[in-house]
Amino acid sequence: MSVELKYRRILLKLSGEALGPQGYGIDAETVRRIAGEVRRIHELGVEVAMVIGGGNMWRGADAAATGIDRGTADYVGMLATVMNSLVMQDAMEKQGISTRVQTAIEMPPVAEPFIRRRAVRHLEKGRVVILAAGSGNPFFTTDTAAALRSVELNTQVLLKATKVDGIYDDDPMRNPHAQKFDELSYMQALNMGLKVMDSTALSLCKDNNMPIIVFNLRQPGALEAIMRGEQCGTLVRADVKEPA
């Protein structure tokens, strides 16, 4: 029996910290679990592109604060995202999912260069595409790279996986009374100065009417629930009314 899906092509954005149990390094079991969640929606017929950050190994902005040139620090961060992407590719293919890594910085021995039309073709053929090395430019985050690739590949939604189950008006880890939003407009998210996604990424999604869903990938089945159209996490989109 065919499954009713709300989304048929998505971009999933993972932080590098999601791959390590304490936010650094890579935990093989965690990577396998994430690959398993992606496999479940892939088997439903969803076309999946992914962007993975590199913060579990290197953060360009933090490194720059120590005196390293910011541009150099950001390029090192791009290489960290490639390492994470190759590890995820290995985990996916061991679960039977044909996967391609494309990088914004050319490195032919390990991955394809990012070519938009080729990436789209991979998606159409049922391959998961992992987009590494950010946008290929320093001073831009992997959130912005995810927004850019999401627009380029004409996905239906950008999914931002976090440690919490949506966007709150305060850090729910520190404030038990923090209020969760089911929906927000782009302007509300920008004006609130939320740290879930940087303003450049939010603005790019706003300008191209790309909906964003912020959710907790650690919640088993959350990704599949979103594909089925169930309420999960926080949806950021246009035309959301201001709260009364």
Side-chain angles (χ1 to χ4, degrees):
M1 184 173 64
S2 62
V3 178
E4 185 92 16
L5 296 176
K6 182 171 183 179
Y7 303 109
R8 291 282 180 178
R9 179 181 293 177
I10 68 164
L11 189 140
L12 174 63
K13 168 59 170 64
L14 300 173
S15 66
E17 290 90 334
L19 306 185
Q22 275 79 46
Y24 58 86
I26 296 175
D27 177 65
E29 183 55 39
T30 299
V31 175
R32 282 194 291 269
R33 182 188 62 76
I34 294 172
E37 293 290 325
V38 175
R39 177 176 53 80
R40 290 174 64 178
I41 65 168
H42 182 263
E43 290 174 346
L44 296 176
V46 179
E47 297 175 1
V48 182
M50 298 175 67
V51 169
I52 306 174
N56 57 320
M57 298 185 186
W58 183 272
R59 301 189 71 87
D62 293 345
T66 67
I68 298 174
D69 176 78
R70 175 61 190 271
T72 299
D74 282 355
Y75 279 118
V76 175
M78 291 177 211
L79 299 181
T81 74
V82 175
M83 289 189 282
N84 285 338
S85 297
L86 293 175
V87 169
M88 182 60 70
Q89 179 187 37
D90 179 76
M92 301 273 255
E93 293 194 332
K94 284 177 178 172
Q95 296 199 30
I97 307 169
S98 181
T99 307
R100 297 290 187 273
V101 174
Q102 292 194 343
T103 60
I105 300 172
E106 291 194 27
M107 44 188 77
V110 297
E112 299 177 1
F114 173 71
I115 299 172
R116 184 183 64 83
R117 290 172 63 90
R118 182 180 291 177
V120 169
R121 187 64 176 145
H122 284 322
L123 293 173
E124 292 172 344
K125 288 187 173 183
R127 298 165 183 153
V128 170
V129 181
I130 304 177
L131 303 156
S135 66
N137 300 291
F139 305 102
F140 291 95
T141 67
T142 50
D143 277 354
T144 298
L148 175 63
R149 299 298 187 231
S150 195
V151 172
E152 285 183 296
L153 300 179
N154 196 29
T155 68
Q156 293 173 288
V157 66
L158 168 55
L159 303 177
K160 173 71 185 287
T162 67
K163 300 176 184 177
V164 293
D165 60 342
I167 298 176
Y168 288 76
D169 61 358
D170 196 7
D171 185 350
M173 300 291 190
R174 295 180 298 183
N175 179 4
H177 303 292
Q179 177 189 356
K180 179 189 170 187
F181 300 99
D182 289 332
E183 289 191 353
L184 282 174
S185 70
Y186 299 111
M187 287 308 303
Q188 286 171 330
L190 284 165
N191 291 336
M192 291 171 67
L194 300 173
K195 295 183 179 180
V196 172
M197 184 172 280
D198 68 80
S199 59
T200 305
L202 276 169
S203 296
L204 185 56
C205 288
K206 173 181 176 294
D207 291 344
N208 292 277
N209 200 26
M210 177 61 64
I212 305 163
I213 296 178
V214 178
F215 74 108
N216 185 359
L217 188 59
R218 295 179 181 179
Q219 179 183 338
L223 194 54
E224 184 177 351
I226 292 171
M227 296 304 101
R228 298 178 188 273
E230 298 176 21
Q231 170 62 45
C232 189
T234 300
L235 172 63
V236 182
R237 61 179 179 86
D239 304 324
V240 175
K241 291 182 180 180
E242 296 283 344

